[in-house]
Amino acid sequence: MSAPDILYIGCGPDPDIDPEARVVLVEPSPDHVPVIRGQVRGMGRRVRLIPAAVAAETGNATFHICNFADLSGLDVPAPLFELMPGLKQVKTAQVQTLSVADLLGQARIREDGYTLRCAAPGVVPLLLNQLLADGALDRIGALWLTVGAEPFHGPGSDAASVIATLRAQGYRLLAREDDADPDWPCLKFERDPALAELSRARDAAEAAKSALETERAGLLARLQESEAARQAAEAGAAAIRADLANVQDRARTVNTQRDRLEAELEAAREQAARLQSEAETAGEKLRAAQEARARAEAELEETRTAHAGLKAQLTEITTLQSRVEALAKDRDVQRAAAETARADLGMALRMQAMAAADLKDLQDRHAALSATKERQDALLGQLALQLGDVSEHLQQIEAAPGSPRLERGAAAKKGDA
């Protein structure tokens, strides 16, 4: 058998087979397989049967056979028993399972544009997910899928979710047949290359938009960091200015103390000079007294008294000299403090200049980031306009009275009728 036209999963005991088509039937139920083999025995190599269930992995699994054959499967969810009180599991059987990739390999799917039919609602979510993951969905020209009106087999198994998934992949819904059972409609899709291309363009545009949004968020974060750094730099500069003011106050205080000490030192020097002059005068008097002692014994007592006075003055001179030395030491200490204050002042001025340079650099970076943000906002605006144009163009194509897709849809509906 050459490459098939139709791959029919969950065909059941009485499959609806196109007499002119090449068909691969897939049916796992041990009760249905012999019946199907008897039906297709006379059809030659045009129809082939694969007795297996579609699963996530190739191997063997338990197949649950219910009194409603269409609801049999590898897993019968509890909501089905609640929806249909008469539904019962009759028995189980071990069956072969095939992954979607292995099933396509055994079915010898080599050409694009074939029709995929699936009458097993529980298989549809797994089938679509594996086809998408393997990049094999684009090869299908049409899909006929029986699904639940509600997500009986879990998220993504209901009709609305399946329609949304396939529309996003470029498939147009041709019909929703639910006359036989509203709870299990049959959805018929046809691949529309133009719709698929527009979907890919829309996905690319959304991806670009997301990337731009991410970049914009990064720029905003960097801008906020720059603003925080600028504020921290300004706070540091303010602290440096406050420290500089304190140093200047201390320098003024030290200068005042230095001037006062220098004045006291000058006064002490003047007093020392005066005492020195007095000491010299006293020495002259002492010499005169000593000379007078030789001249007259009568003046001895007066001379002794004068001598005692001179000794007292000498003691006072010694005390004053000690005070002068102490003042000189204090003057040296105050000069050293003044030099330290001048050094602190120079360091503070250099730190202030460095902080000002850092602040200027942060302001330049802030301006550059703001310009980049404005360019990104402009690009986002242009992208939004382009998305609007694409959406409007798509709506015009679908709504045009002479559209080839509308004509094909109408022809398909007449053929179904």
Side-chain angles (χ1 to χ4, degrees), residues 289-336:
Q290 288 175 350
E291 292 174 357
R293 181 181 179 183
R295 290 192 301 268
E297 285 290 330
E299 297 177 357
L300 179 60
E301 187 65 28
E302 183 180 355
T303 302
R304 287 177 178 174
T305 301
H307 182 265
L310 289 173
K311 287 181 66 176
Q313 289 179 356
L314 287 173
T315 302
E316 186 177 356
I317 288 172
T318 303
T319 302
L320 289 175
Q321 287 178 342
S322 299
R323 288 185 60 192
V324 168
E325 292 176 356
L327 288 175
K329 289 180 181 180
D330 288 342
R331 180 196 61 189
D332 294 339
V333 170
Q334 293 299 329
R335 284 179 177 174

Side-chain angles (χ1 to χ4, degrees), residues 141-408:
L143 293 106
W144 292 15
L145 305 176
T146 300
V147 297
E150 300 295 333
F152 302 124
H153 289 87
S157 64
D158 59 293
S161 298
V162 172
I163 291 171
T165 298
L166 289 176
R167 276 181 175 168
Q169 298 302 317
Y171 286 87
R172 184 181 301 281
L173 179 65
L174 299 179
R176 173 174 178 153
E177 299 177 355
D178 55 6
D179 296 337
D181 191 344
D183 290 328
W184 305 100
C186 178
L187 307 178
K188 295 183 178 182
F189 297 90
E190 179 184 58
R191 183 164 181 78
D192 187 337
L195 184 60
E197 185 64 27
L198 285 173
S199 297
R200 284 193 292 269
R202 183 167 56 247
D203 293 342
E206 289 295 336
K209 180 181 178 182
S210 177
L212 286 174
E213 288 290 349
T214 301
E215 185 176 358
R216 179 174 178 270
L219 287 174
L220 287 175
R222 289 170 58 191
L223 185 61
Q224 292 173 355
E225 293 175 358
S226 175
E227 180 65 19
R230 184 185 65 81
Q231 292 177 357
E234 289 181 349
I240 290 174
R241 286 194 292 269
D243 291 341
L244 178 60
N246 292 333
V247 170
Q248 290 173 342
D249 290 341
R250 288 172 57 193
R252 284 192 293 269
T253 302
V254 169
N255 289 334
T256 302
Q257 292 177 350
R258 182 197 62 193
D259 294 341
R260 179 174 56 80
L261 289 174
E262 287 179 350
E264 291 179 356
L265 179 60
E266 186 64 25
R269 285 174 177 171
E270 292 176 355
Q271 185 177 5
R274 185 174 62 255
L275 291 175
Q276 182 68 28
S277 176
E278 291 177 357
E280 292 175 353
T281 302
E284 293 176 356
K285 289 181 179 180
L286 178 60
R287 287 191 294 271
Q290 288 175 350
E291 292 174 357
R293 181 181 179 183
R295 290 192 301 268
E297 285 290 330
E299 297 177 357
L300 179 60
E301 187 65 28
E302 183 180 355
T303 302
R304 287 177 178 174
T305 301
H307 182 265
L310 289 173
K311 287 181 66 176
Q313 289 179 356
L314 287 173
T315 302
E316 186 177 356
I317 288 172
T318 303
T319 302
L320 289 175
Q321 287 178 342
S322 299
R323 288 185 60 192
V324 168
E325 292 176 356
L327 288 175
K329 289 180 181 180
D330 288 342
R331 180 196 61 189
D332 294 339
V333 170
Q334 293 299 329
R335 284 179 177 174
E339 291 298 327
T340 301
R342 288 192 187 98
D344 291 343
L345 178 59
M347 178 62 72
L349 289 174
R350 287 192 296 274
M351 291 177 65
Q352 182 181 12
M354 292 173 62
D358 291 342
L359 177 60
K360 180 61 170 59
D361 180 62
L362 288 173
Q363 288 172 344
D364 293 341
R365 291 172 58 191
H366 177 271
L369 288 174
S370 297
T372 304
K373 175 180 175 296
E374 291 176 357
R375 289 195 298 271
Q376 294 296 330
D377 289 340
L379 287 175
L380 285 175
Q382 293 176 4
L383 181 59
L385 291 176
Q386 292 176 3
L387 286 176
D389 292 341
V390 170
S391 176
E392 182 179 355
H393 181 61
L394 177 60
Q395 293 173 0
Q396 290 175 354
I397 290 175
E398 293 179 346
S403 174
R405 285 178 291 277
L406 290 178
E407 292 177 359
R408 288 199 300 271

Side-chain angles (χ1 to χ4, degrees), residues 19 35 44 89 116 128 238 275:
V35 178
Q89 177 177 296
L116 174 62
L128 294 179
L275 291 175

Side-chain angles (χ1 to χ4, degrees), residues 20 45-46 75 93 193 232 259 278 307 416:
E20 303 298 330
R45 301 178 63 185
R46 184 174 57 80
D75 180 33
D259 294 341
E278 291 177 357
H307 182 265
D416 293 338

